[in-house]
Amino acid sequence: MTENIFNDWLDQILKTEKPNADIQAYYFGILETEDGYETYLVGSEEFDEDEDWACNTDFEPKNKYLPLGQNGVDWELILADVKKNIENYIQSPNFKNSFLEKAKAIATGFDGGDLFILK
């Protein structure tokens, strides 16, 4: 997945969605499908660094999923790619003044796996 595709997807969500002010944390989940991998964005009204808060889904954008393809690619490479894209986006001008910037936490990880808190 190129960074531009990820950025375009996330920019569109940030322009068109308005989560309620109670959303404290955002999770970029990753899952494997028959066609490769997908990442998705959800938000939670709860955040506890020591708990499995990412299972709460209090916010779901309309364009929740981003197909990544890359069928047969090692999952660790997919995770590293998604983490890098999120970290780079956090440093971008589009992140500033977005609802993501106001979050207590932003995390990623594979469904059922470890959470990696990036903010």
Side-chain angles (χ1 to χ4, degrees):
M1 169 189 57
T2 68
E3 190 171 338
N4 288 340
I5 292 170
F6 180 84
N7 290 351
D8 290 346
W9 169 71
L10 194 49
D11 284 344
Q12 186 63 31
I13 291 172
L14 294 176
K15 288 177 190 173
T16 61
E17 300 284 342
K18 302 290 182 225
N20 73 50
D22 294 334
I23 303 298
Q24 296 185 34
Y26 293 92
Y27 176 63
F28 289 86
I30 307 167
L31 53 97
E32 189 170 10
T33 70
E34 291 179 6
D35 298 321
Y37 297 91
E38 290 185 345
T39 190
Y40 63 90
L41 176 63
V42 293
S44 173
E45 293 179 0
E46 298 178 31
F47 171 68
D48 184 338
E49 195 168 336
D50 299 323
E51 297 294 325
D52 190 15
W53 61 268
C55 64
N56 297 345
T57 304
D58 301 309
F59 166 72
E60 290 182 88
K62 288 182 182 80
N63 190 16
K64 175 181 175 178
Y65 293 97
L66 175 65
L68 306 175
Q70 302 186 33
N71 205 0
V73 174
D74 184 53
W75 68 269
E76 291 171 323
L77 295 175
I78 299 298
L79 176 60
D81 196 31
V82 171
K83 284 170 67 174
K84 176 185 63 92
N85 286 332
I86 296 167
E87 290 167 340
N88 289 344
Y89 198 90
I90 288 172
Q91 301 303 316
S92 76
N94 290 356
F95 180 78
K96 308 294 185 248
N97 300 312
S98 73
F99 62 77
L100 289 176
E101 182 185 42
K102 296 166 182 58
K104 287 186 180 179
I106 297 173
T108 191
F110 273 88
D111 287 0
D114 293 333
L115 287 178
F116 298 90
I117 297 176
L118 305 175
K119 175 188 179 232

